[in-house]
């Protein structure tokens, strides 16, 4: 009995252990604090364990999580919220789950979601009447279900139905594009994405003046079932149309197949990507700054992107791997040699992609490594530098556009896409500064995406 008791205590450590993660937390919008991680330390379990053979806790096997069709939760489901300083173990214990069941739940979910890293405010759906079930959020619009059956938790995931909401905003710049757009209600992530996309054409430090016009249309994905599970999470946002007008130019960018294109079908990117990873937030700019670890001001020769650890890092352009190894304060780093005297550096990587060694050839967009926190780094991020003839330059100020252009059937499809948006873009062009509209687009309401 004592042996089984110890086994249960070991598994409970998955739920009870404290979180020592010091990764940086990047807010979705300026000055919005990310909820702090839950304190998950708790007294050791002193409740005796049932000595029946069915209560023995074997070494957990690797969990193969099946995907299931979405079904509504039982009507007897209760929504419970993890409070600040509360443990998942204590929360579930109050709902009548035994320490044995909680330990098995932690083991069953360890390859899916870490219960000891749930944030305060996270919501769980629990059912203790009839078949016992615990459900929680994975990614946004992904529900993880654990059903207790034959002294085991059967774990599945299901896509939750969603709807798409389109928002349009027009802003005439008074002080700054970011500040004026934020004051007009445009989410910070949308503004950051727009700045990165438009920076292929515009130097925002020298080419933006009072009276310039900015227009944006973006989609927000919202769940239409099990809303409480996802209430603490940021809803996915994606800009679909951007326009910037100054005294010299009128730039219009259309999202098509996960990239922005100009009206004539040209790819709206530099020959080197300014953002060599997806789903990232710009967390530090190029130029003089106070180093977060060293404590003094020095030149920051690149830009930093915050994203989840392990996020794939892409080659900003085609070229040759100059080095891929431990590189001093850069930690694990890759340096690529490109044409015309350009080099790019990717630092603080968790590791390198297969085949990324000195001398290897890579293509633009090819995965070369994975985001990490190695070297002189305070938190997980990618540090990205660009050099021209040995001199560092601001990646956001590269203006040499890609020569890639849609052709044939793809170009025809893109032109039809642009034509289909004409009514929306004409309406947006008539907005006064600060005007906005939000509505569901045709054919996208209550769609599972």
């Amino acid at each position: 009995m004592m042996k089984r008791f110890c086994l249960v205590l070991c598994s409970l450590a998955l739920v009870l252990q404290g979180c020592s993660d010091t990764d940086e937390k990047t807010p979705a919008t300026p000055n919005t604090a990310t909820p702090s991680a839950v304190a998950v330390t708790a007294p050791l379990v002193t409740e005796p364990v049932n000595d029946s053979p069915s209560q023995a806790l074997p070494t957990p096997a690797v969990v193969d999580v099946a995907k299931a069709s979405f079904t509504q939760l039982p009507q007897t489901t209760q929504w419970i919220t993890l409070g600040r300083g509360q443990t998942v173990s204590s929360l579930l214990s109050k709902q009548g789950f035994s320490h044995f069941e909680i330990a098995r739940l932690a083991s069953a979910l360890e390859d899916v979601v870490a219960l000891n890293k749930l944030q305060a405010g996270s919501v769980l759906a629990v059912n203790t009447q009839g078949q016992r079930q615990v459900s929680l959020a994975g990614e946004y619009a992904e529900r993880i279900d654990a059903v207790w059956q034959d002294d085991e938790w059967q774990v599945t995931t299901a896509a939750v139905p969603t709807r798409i909401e389109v928002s349009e905003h027009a802003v005439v710049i008074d002080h700054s594009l970011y500040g004026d757009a934020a004051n007009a209600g445009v989410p910070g992530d949308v503004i950051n994405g727009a700045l990165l996309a438009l920076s292929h054409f515009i130097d925002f430090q020298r080419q933006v003046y009072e009276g310039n016009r900015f227009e944006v249309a973006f989609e927000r994905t919202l769940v239409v079932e099990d809303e409480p599970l996802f209430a603490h999470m940021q809803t996915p946002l994606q800009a679909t149309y951007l326009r910037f007008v100054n005294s010299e130019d009128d730039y219009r960018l259309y999202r098509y197949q996960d990239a922005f294109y100009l009206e004539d079908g040209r790819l709206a990117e530099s020959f080197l990507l300014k953002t060599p990873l997806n789903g990232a937030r710009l967390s530090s700019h190029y130029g003089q700054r106070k180093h977060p670890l060293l404590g003094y001001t020095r030149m920051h020769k690149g830009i930093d992107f915050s994203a989840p650890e392990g996020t794939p890092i892409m080659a900003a352009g085609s070229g040759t791997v100059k080095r891929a190894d431990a590189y001093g304060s850069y930690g694990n780093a890759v340096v690529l040699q490109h044409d015309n005297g350009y080099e790019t550096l990717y630092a603080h990587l968790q590791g390198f992609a297969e085949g990324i060694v000195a001398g290897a050839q890579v293509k633009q967009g090819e995965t070369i490594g994975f985001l990490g926190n190695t070297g002189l780094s305070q938190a997980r991020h990618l540090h990205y530098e660009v050099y021209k003839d040995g001199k560092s330059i601001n990646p956001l100020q590269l203006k040499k556009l890609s020569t890639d252009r849609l052709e044939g059937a793809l170009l025809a499809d893109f032109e039809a896409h642009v034509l289909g948006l004409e009514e929306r873009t004409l309406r947006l062009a008539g907005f006064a500064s600060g005007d906005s509209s939000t509505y569901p687009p045709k054919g996208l309401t209550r769609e599972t995406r």
Side-chain angles (χ1 to χ4, degrees), residues 381-400:
H381 71 284
L382 170 70
H383 175 75
Y384 174 52
E385 297 183 2
V386 178
Y387 288 82
K388 169 65 173 173
D389 297 327
K391 182 180 179 180
S392 71
I393 59 176
N394 187 343
L396 298 183
Q397 293 181 356
L398 285 169
K399 297 296 184 284
K400 186 175 180 181

Side-chain angles (χ1 to χ4, degrees), residues 70-71 73 77-81 118-119 121-126 133-145 158 160 223 225-234:
F70 175 81
T71 57
L73 294 172
T77 295
Q78 297 183 26
W79 306 96
I80 57 175
T81 303
L118 292 184
Q119 295 180 336
S122 296
V123 174
L124 286 72
V126 300
Q133 178 173 332
V134 176
S135 299
L136 64 162
E139 299 295 331
Y140 188 82
E142 177 194 46
R143 193 182 75 198
I144 301 169
D145 295 324
V160 177
V223 294
E225 299 281 356
D226 302 336
E227 290 93 338
L229 286 183
F230 307 97
H232 67 290
M233 303 176 71
Q234 180 179 322

Side-chain angles (χ1 to χ4, degrees), residues 237-254:
L237 302 168
Q238 184 176 75
T240 56
Y241 170 74
L242 301 171
R243 184 187 183 196
F244 186 86
V245 184
N246 58 22
S247 59
E248 299 176 355
D249 298 291
D250 185 347
Y251 295 107
R252 303 182 188 211
L253 280 62
Y254 299 82

Side-chain angles (χ1 to χ4, degrees), residues 394-412:
N394 187 343
L396 298 183
Q397 293 181 356
L398 285 169
K399 297 296 184 284
K400 186 175 180 181
L401 289 179
S402 169
T403 58
D404 291 347
R405 187 174 186 271
L406 296 171
E407 297 178 346
L410 281 177
L411 179 59

Side-chain angles (χ1 to χ4, degrees), residues 110-420:
E110 63 181 350
D111 292 332
V112 185
V113 62
L115 292 183
N116 65 324
K117 292 186 178 180
L118 292 184
Q119 295 180 336
S122 296
V123 174
L124 286 72
V126 300
N127 181 53
T128 57
Q129 299 184 33
Q131 193 166 48
R132 300 164 77 78
Q133 178 173 332
V134 176
S135 299
L136 64 162
E139 299 295 331
Y140 188 82
E142 177 194 46
R143 193 182 75 198
I144 301 169
D145 295 324
V147 177
W148 185 249
Q149 186 175 3
D150 298 328
D151 288 338
E152 297 283 353
W153 289 102
Q154 304 298 325
V155 179
T156 59
T157 63
V160 177
T162 61
R163 65 181 176 89
I164 302 298
E165 186 177 85
V166 174
S167 293
E168 301 168 343
H169 292 260
V171 178
V172 174
I173 296 172
D174 185 22
H175 297 291
S176 72
L177 191 154
Y178 194 107
D180 293 334
N183 290 336
V186 182
D189 280 358
V190 172
I191 302 172
N192 275 329
L195 288 172
L196 290 171
L198 291 168
S199 64
H200 290 285
F201 313 94
I202 302 161
D203 183 346
F204 283 99
Q205 296 179 349
R206 293 179 293 181
Q207 292 182 307
V208 178
Y209 300 97
E210 182 179 348
N212 291 169
R213 183 178 176 87
F214 170 65
E215 298 171 4
V216 58
F218 62 90
E219 293 181 351
R220 184 191 303 270
T221 302
L222 297 166
V223 294
V224 296
E225 299 281 356
D226 302 336
E227 290 93 338
L229 286 183
F230 307 97
H232 67 290
M233 303 176 71
Q234 180 179 322
T235 56
L237 302 168
Q238 184 176 75
T240 56
Y241 170 74
L242 301 171
R243 184 187 183 196
F244 186 86
V245 184
N246 58 22
S247 59
E248 299 176 355
D249 298 291
D250 185 347
Y251 295 107
R252 303 182 188 211
L253 280 62
Y254 299 82
R255 183 176 290 279
Y256 179 74
Q257 295 191 350
D258 293 326
F260 278 111
Y261 290 85
L262 300 172
E263 287 180 284
D264 61 2
R266 283 180 297 152
L267 183 64
E269 293 179 354
S270 302
F271 86 108
L272 291 179
L273 301 176
K274 291 186 179 70
T275 54
L277 70 169
N278 292 321
R281 297 184 179 94
L282 185 63
S283 57
S284 186
H285 292 265
Y286 181 92
Q288 294 289 337
R289 70 160 188 175
K290 184 177 181 180
H291 195 280
L293 292 180
L294 300 178
Y296 57 82
T297 299
R298 71 173 186 176
M299 182 65 180
H300 188 235
K301 295 183 179 180
I303 55 179
D304 294 344
F305 297 98
S306 175
E309 191 165 341
T311 297
I313 306 302
M314 300 177 290
S318 299
T320 304
V321 178
K322 188 174 181 179
R323 66 181 299 164
D325 55 10
Y327 191 8
S329 62
Y330 288 120
N332 293 329
V334 173
V335 177
L336 300 181
Q337 178 72 56
H338 308 282
D339 292 338
N340 304 316
Y342 283 93
E343 285 188 0
T344 52
L345 177 145
Y346 315 77
H348 308 307
L349 304 182
Q350 181 186 67
F352 310 104
E354 185 177 357
I356 300 301
V357 295
Q361 300 294 311
V362 296
K363 294 182 178 180
Q364 186 177 58
E366 180 179 343
T367 298
I368 58 174
F370 305 92
L371 186 142
N373 187 24
T374 59
L376 192 61
S377 170
Q378 184 183 33
R380 68 179 192 275
H381 71 284
L382 170 70
H383 175 75
Y384 174 52
E385 297 183 2
V386 178
Y387 288 82
K388 169 65 173 173
D389 297 327
K391 182 180 179 180
S392 71
I393 59 176
N394 187 343
L396 298 183
Q397 293 181 356
L398 285 169
K399 297 296 184 284
K400 186 175 180 181
L401 289 179
S402 169
T403 58
D404 291 347
R405 187 174 186 271
L406 296 171
E407 297 178 346
L410 281 177
L411 179 59
D413 186 60
F414 170 74
E415 290 173 340
H417 172 68
V418 172
L419 184 61

Side-chain angles (χ1 to χ4, degrees), residues 430-444:
F431 281 11
S433 182
D435 284 355
S436 65
S437 66
T438 299
Y439 57 91
K442 295 179 180 179
L444 288 177

